[in-house]
C-alpha cells in the first residue's frame, strides 16, 4: 500500500524570501482516499497544494507525486492530475464548452476525444443547457462546477481542490459536495484544502490540521474529535456589558473550558449535566446551547484560536 | 462649477440658469470640483503617465517638422504667405493633441469608471449628482489639456514657430477644442455597450488626425474631398489654431469658433441627460 | 462519465513544438470570436496611413522635386509602403504583447490555467509569441494587398519585405513580452512605454524619411532600434537597393535581438508562473 502512495512528502518546505510558508510537513496519501488540509487563511495549505500540483518548486524536503519527482517530471505529473485553483481562472471570453475543449487540448487529447469528453463533463457538471453561454454570464456556483469539470478533462488519477466552495451559497456548496462524492465513489483520489470544518467532516476520509506552516494533528474527523475533544460542548453567551464570570466559576464543572470574545465553551461528555451544574451555581448566561463537538473545537484546542480568525 | 458655493444646501436652487433647465432636478449639488480634486489625487500616483502626455506632440513636431519638412520645403500658409513645414504642422498638432487628450479622457476613462470601477456609483451614494460628475470630468479634462497645450505652445515658442501676438489666444482656443471634443466624446460614451464599440471612436479620430489638414494643406485634395474635409470638426480646430499661431487672423475664424461652440453645447446637453438616465436608473 | 478509466484515457506530455501549436490554437479560438474588432487595426488603419502619407503628403513631396534624391527616383508612396509595413508589424507587436500578456497573468489569468496542465511556462511564452508573429504575418499580407491596390508595389520583393517586417516585429514582441511579464501594476508602465519607446521609434526610425535627415546626435538612437533595421531590410527588399553585406548585418542584429528576447521571456515566464 505505502509503495503506491499518490502523494508522499517528508520534510516538505516552502520559503518565499524570508517567509517560511510550509515548514517541513509529512504527508502520505493513499489511492482512492479523500485527504483534507484544514486550516485558517495563511496556514500554508495553498502553498503545499501548489507544490503538489508541480507549479511551485519546493524549497527543501522530498516530494513524490504519483511516484514521480515534480522537479524532474513536472509536465508528466501534471498530465495525470487535475487542479481546481482557489480562484477560478476560466477563460472568460470563451463559451462553457470551448473552455473544456481548449483545456483538453493542453493535455494532448485529440479533437474528437476532447469533444466527447466535453459533452460528458457538461452533463456531470449539470451545465449542458449552458454549454454555449459565455463564461462571464455564469453564477459563482456554475463557474466553480465548470472549473471542476475542466480539471477532470484528462481523467486525472489525483484531483487537487483548493478551497472548492469558498464564497458559494449553501445550495451551491451542497451540489458541489455531491459531485465530489461521486468522484470519490469512482475511485478518484482527492486532496482538498478548506477552512470550513463542516466541509472537511463531510468529504474527508482523513485530514491534517495545518497552522503556521506545520501539521498539528492528523486522522479521520471522528478520530480527531475523539482524541482532542470531549463528546459534547456547552456554549454560554453573556451580554457584552454584563460582568462575566471568571474561569474559576466553571472549575470542576467541565473537563476543559475556553474563553472566546463573545462566549465561554465548556467541554464535557454530558453537556446537559454541565449546563445543570452551571445554573445551580448561580451563573446566569444570556443564552446557552449544548451541541456535539466538531472539528472547529479540535482546531481551537490545537491552535488556541478559532478558524474564523 | 456654475458659481454657487460648496455649501449650497439645496441641489435645485438655481432653476433660472438656462443650462439647468434641461437637467433633471436633484442631479446637481454644485460640487463638481471635488471630482477634479479626486482626479488630481489619482494622477499624483501616475505622474509619469501625466507628464508623458506632454511629450507625444513634441515628438511628432520634432520628427515631422525636421524630417518630413526636409522633404517638402515651404508650404503656402493660411493667408497665402509661404510657411516652413514645422510652422505649418505645429498648430495642427496642437489642435490634434487637444482633441486626442479630451477624447481619451471622456471615452476610455469615463467608460472604465462607469462600467468597471463603479466609481460613479460610489459618488452617487453621496450628495453628488450626475451633473457634478459630468462637469467634474470635463473640468479635469480641460485642466489637463490646458496644461499640455501651454507646454506645447512653450515648445513652439522655443523653436521660433510663434510669429504673431495672436498666438496668445491659441491657449483658450485649445481649451475650446478640448471642451467641444470632450463633450461629444462623453455623449458618445454614454451610448457605448462594450469595449468593442470603441473601435468606432478610433474610426472617427484617426481619419481626422490624418486628413483634417494636420500634415498637409487642403489644396492637395480634389474639390469634392475638400468639401468633405471641411465638414470635419478637427479641420475647424486646426484652421483656427493655424490662423492664430501664424497671425493670419480674419473674421473667418469666427466660423470655426462657432462650429466648436455648437459642438460643445450639443455634446454637453446630450452627455448630461444620458448620464442622468444611466446612473440614476 | 462511465469512461473515467477508459484506455484512451488521460493526458500526456506533448513534444515541444506540439505544445507551442496547442497554445497557438487557444489564441486562434479566442481570435475567431472577436476578429471583427481587428479589421480596423489591420485593414482600415494601414489604408488610411497609406492614403494620408503615401498619397496626400506624397503629392507634396513628389511635386517639390526634393523627393528623388531621397527615394532614389521612385514615388514617395513606393518608398513609404515597405517602411509602413515594418512600422505596422512593430505596432502590432507592441499592442499584442503588452496588455494581453498582463491579462494572461493578472486579469483573465489564462496562463495560470495553462501552467496547471502539462505545458511548461517556456512553452506558454513561446506559443504566445508565435501567435503574435502569425498575427503580424497575416495582417502584413493584407497590408501588402492594399499597397498593391494603391499602386505602391514595384516587384515581388515586397513578399520578402513582409518576411523581414515580421522578423523585426517578432524580435520586438519577444522583448516587449519580457517587459510585460515583470509589470505588476495596472499598466501605467505601458502608457509610458508607448509614449517614450513606441511612438518615438515609429517616428524617428526611418519609416517616413531617412535617418540621415535627423540631427547627428539622434541618429545612433535610431540605429539601435529594431525598427530601423527592419525598415532598411524591408525597403531594401522591395526596392532592390540594399547590398548583401548591409542586409546580412541587419538580419544578424534582428536575429540576435530575437534570441535575446526569447531567452528572456522564457526565463521570466518561468519565474512568474513557477513560484
Amino acid at each position: 500500500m505505502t509503495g503506491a502512495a499518490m502523494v508522499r512528502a517528508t520534510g516538505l518546505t516552502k520559503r518565499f524570501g524570508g517567509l517560511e510558508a510550509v515548514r517541513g510537513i509529512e504527508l502520505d496519501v493513499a489511492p482512492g482516499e479523500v485527504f483534507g488540509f484544514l486550516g485558517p487563511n495563511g496556514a500554508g495549505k495553498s502553498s503545499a497544494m501548489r507544490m503538489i500540483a508541480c507549479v511551485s518548486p519546493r524549497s527543501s524536503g522530498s516530494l513524490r507525486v504519483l511516484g514521480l519527482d515534480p522537479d524532474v517530471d513536472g509536465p508528466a505529473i501534471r498530465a495525470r492530475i487535475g487542479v481546481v485553483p482557489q480562484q477560478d481562472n476560466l477563460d472568460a471570453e470563451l463559451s462553457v464548452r470551448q473552455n473544456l475543449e481548449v483545456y483538453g487540448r493542453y493535455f494532448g487529447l485529440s479533437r474528437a476525444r476532447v469533444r466527447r469528453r466535453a459533452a460528458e463533463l457538461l452533463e456531470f457538471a449539470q451545465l449542458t443547457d449552458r454549454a454555449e453561454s459565455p463564461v462571464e454570464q455564469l453564477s459563482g456556483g456554475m463557474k466553480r462546477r465548470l472549473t471542476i469539470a475542466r480539471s477532470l478533462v484528462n481523467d486525472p488519477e489525483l484531483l487537487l481542490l483548493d478551497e472548492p466552495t469558498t464564497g458559494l451559497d449553501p445550495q451551491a456548496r451542497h451540489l458541489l459536495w455531491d459531485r465530489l462524492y461521486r468522484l470519490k465513489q469512482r475511485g478518484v483520489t482527492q486532496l482538498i484544502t478548506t477552512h470550513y470544518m463542516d466541509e472537511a467532516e463531510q468529504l474527508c476520509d482523513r485530514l491534517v490540521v495545518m497552522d503556521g506552516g506545520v501539521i498539528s494533528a492528523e486522522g479521520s474527523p471522528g478520530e480527531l474529535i475523539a482524541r482532542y475533544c470531549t463528546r459534547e460542548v456547552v456554549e454560554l453567551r453573556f451580554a457584552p456589558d454584563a460582568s462575566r464570570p471568571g474561569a474559576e466559576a466553571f472549575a470542576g464543572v467541565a473537563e476543559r473550558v475556553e474563553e472566546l470574545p463573545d462566549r465561554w465553551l465548556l467541554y464535557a461528555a454530558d453537556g446537559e449535566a454541565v449546563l445543570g451544574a452551571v445554573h445551580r451555581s448561580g451563573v446566569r448566561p444570556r443564552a446557552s446551547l449544548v451541541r456535539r463537538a466538531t472539528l472547529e473545537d479540535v482546531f481551537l484546542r490545537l491552535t488556541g484560536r478559532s478558524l474564523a480568525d | 462649477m456654475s458659481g454657487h458655493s460648496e455649501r449650497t444646501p439645496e441641489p435645485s436652487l438655481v432653476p433660472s440658469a438656462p443650462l439647468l433647465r434641461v437637467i433633471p432636478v436633484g442631479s446637481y449639488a454644485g460640487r463638481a470640483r471635488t471630482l477634479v480634486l479626486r482626479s488630481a489625487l489619482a494622477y499624483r500616483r501616475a505622474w509619469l503617465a501625466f507628464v508623458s502626455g506632454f511629450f507625444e506632440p513634441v515628438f511628432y513636431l520634432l520628427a515631422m517638422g525636421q524630417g518630413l519638412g526636409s522633404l517638402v520645403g515651404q508650404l503656402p500658409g493660411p493667408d497665402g504667405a509661404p510657411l516652413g513645414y514645422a510652422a505649418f504642422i505645429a498648430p495642427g498638432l496642437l489642435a490634434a493633441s487637444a482633441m486626442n487628450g479630451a477624447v481619451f479622457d471622456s471615452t476610455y476613462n469615463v467608460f472604465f469608471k462607469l462600467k468597471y470601477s463603479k466609481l460613479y456609483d460610489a459618488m452617487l451614494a453621496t450628495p453628488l449628482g450626475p451633473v457634478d460628475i459630468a462637469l467634474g470630468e470635463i473640468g479635469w479634462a480641460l485642466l489637463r489639456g490646458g496644461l499640455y497645450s501651454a507646454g506645447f505652445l512653450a515648445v513652439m515658442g522655443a523653436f521660433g514657430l510663434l510669429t504673431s501676438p495672436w498666438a496668445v489666444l491659441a491657449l483658450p482656443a485649445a481649451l475650446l477644442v478640448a471642451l467641444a471634443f470632450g463633450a461629444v466624446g462623453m455623449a458618445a460614451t454614454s451610448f457605448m455597450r462594450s469595449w468593442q464599440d470603441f473601435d468606432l471612436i478610433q474610426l472617427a479620430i484617426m481619419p481626422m488626425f490624418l486628413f483634417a489638414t494636420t500634415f498637409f494643406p487642403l489644396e492637395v485634395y480634389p474639390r469634392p474631398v475638400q468639401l468633405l474635409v471641411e465638414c470635419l470638426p478637427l479641420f475647424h480646430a486646426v484652421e483656427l489654431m493655424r490662423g492664430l499661431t501664424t497671425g493670419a487672423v480674419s473674421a473667418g475664424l469666427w466660423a470655426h469658433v462657432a462650429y466648436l461652440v455648437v459642438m460643445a453645447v450639443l455634446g454637453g446637453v446630450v452627455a448630461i441627460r444620458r448620464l442622468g438616465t444611466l446612473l440614476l436608473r | 462519465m462511465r469512461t473515467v478509466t477508459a484506455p484512451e484515457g488521460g493526458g500526456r506530455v506533448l513534444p515541444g513544438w506540439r505544445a507551442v501549436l496547442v497554445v497557438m490554437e487557444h489564441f486562434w479560438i479566442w481570435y475567431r470570436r472577436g476578429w471583427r474588432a481587428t479589421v480596423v487595426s489591420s485593414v482600415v488603419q494601414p489604408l488610411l496611413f497609406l492614403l494620408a502619407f503615401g498619397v496626400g503628403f506624397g503629392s507634396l513631396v513628389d511635386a517639390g522635386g526634393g523627393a528623388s534624391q531621397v527615394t532614389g527616383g521612385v514615388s514617395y508612396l513606393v518608398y513609404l509602403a515597405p517602411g509602413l509595413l515594418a512600422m505596422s508589424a512593430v505596432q502590432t507587436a507592441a499592442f499584442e504583447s503588452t496588455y494581453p500578456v498582463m491579462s494572461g497573468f493578472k486579469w483573465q489569468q489564462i496562463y495560470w490555467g495553462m501552467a496547471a496542465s502539462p505545458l511548461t511556462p517556456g512553452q506558454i511564452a513561446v506559443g504566445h509569441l508565435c501567435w503574435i508573429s502569425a498575427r503580424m504575418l497575416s495582417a502584413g499580407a493584407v497590408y501588402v494587398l492594399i499597397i498593391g491596390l494603391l499602386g505602391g508595389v514595384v516587384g515581388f520583393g515586397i513578399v520578402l519585405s513582409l518576411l523581414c517586417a515580421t522578423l523585426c516585429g517578432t524580435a520586438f514582441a519577444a522583448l516587449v513580452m519580457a517587459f510585460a511579464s515583470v509589470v505588476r501594476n495596472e499598466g501605467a508602465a505601458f502608457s509610458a512605454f508607448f509614449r517614450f519607446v513606441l511612438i518615438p521609434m515609429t517616428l524617428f526610425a526611418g519609416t517616413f524619411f531617412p535617418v540621415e535627415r535627423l540631427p547627428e546626435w539622434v541618429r545612433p538612437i535610431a540605429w539601435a532600434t529594431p525598427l530601423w533595421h527592419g525598415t532598411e531590410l524591408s525597403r531594401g527588399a522591395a526596392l532592390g537597393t540594399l547590398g548583401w553585406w548591409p542586409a546580412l548585418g541587419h538580419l544578424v542584429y534582428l536575429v540576435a535581438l530575437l534570441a535575446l528576447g526569447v531567452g528572456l521571456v522564457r526565463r521570466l515566464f518561468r519565474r512568474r508562473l513557477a513560484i
Side-chain angles (χ1 to χ4, degrees), chain A residues 14 16 50 55-57 75-76 78-79 83 87-95 98 102-103 105-109 111 113 116-117 120-121 124 134 150 154-155 186, chain C residues 1-6 8-14 18 22-23 25-26 29-30 32-33 108-121 272-275:
Chain A
K14 181 73 192 181
F16 297 103
R50 287 177 45 77
V55 290
S56 169
R78 291 200 298 269
V83 177
Q87 282 191 325
D88 292 322
N89 53 17
L90 296 163
D91 199 325
E93 289 180 31
L94 299 185
S95 72
Q98 281 176 322
V102 166
Y103 205 72
R105 298 283 291 156
Y106 300 160
F107 289 84
L109 305 180
R111 266 177 245 271
R113 167 93 185 121
R116 248 177 305 137
R117 192 74 185 127
E120 292 166 5
L121 290 170
F124 174 75
R150 192 184 70 169
N154 59 330
D155 284 322
R186 285 179 201 137
Chain C
M1 286 305 295
R2 271 151 281 121
T3 55
V4 164
T5 49
E8 59 180 336
R12 61 197 172 92
V13 181
L14 291 167
R18 285 275 319 270
V22 163
V23 176
E25 186 180 314
H26 170 110
I29 290 172
W30 241 30
R32 258 189 350 201
R33 286 177 76 93
Q108 305 262 8
Q109 303 194 342
I110 55 155
Y111 291 153
W112 298 100
M114 290 178 177
S117 78
L119 303 173
T120 64
R272 183 99 185 245
L273 289 173
I275 45 160

Side-chain angles (χ1 to χ4, degrees), chain B residues 7 15 73 76 117 121 128 162 180 184 187 203 221 251:
Chain B
R7 268 172 238 91
S117 75
D121 288 342
L128 296 186
L162 297 177
V184 170
L203 216 50
Y221 299 113

Side-chain angles (χ1 to χ4, degrees), chain C residues 168-275:
Chain C
C168 167
T170 308
F172 187 58
L175 293 168
V176 178
M177 277 181 80
F179 162 64
S181 62
V182 295
V183 169
R184 298 280 173 133
N185 59 14
E186 295 284 327
F190 290 153
S191 47
F193 162 76
F194 287 133
R195 280 182 162 148
F196 288 121
V197 178
L198 182 67
I199 288 181
M201 189 164 88
T202 55
L203 288 173
F204 292 98
T207 309
F208 297 97
F209 49 87
V211 170
E212 290 70 40
R213 297 280 166 138
L214 289 172
E216 218 158 306
W217 59 272
V218 186
R219 291 178 210 165
I221 306 175
W223 291 334
T225 62
L227 181 56
W228 180 70
H229 297 273
T231 305
E232 288 294 301
L233 274 175
S234 174
R235 185 167 286 148
L239 306 181
T241 51
L242 198 60
W244 285 107
W245 284 113
L248 189 67
H250 295 309
L251 269 177
V252 166
Y253 186 84
L254 289 179
V255 170
L257 275 189
L258 179 62
L260 174 73
V262 169
L264 263 179
V265 75
R266 287 175 52 126
R267 244 182 94 122
L268 292 170
F269 265 54
R270 206 171 305 133
R271 197 201 283 170
R272 183 99 185 245
L273 289 173
I275 45 160

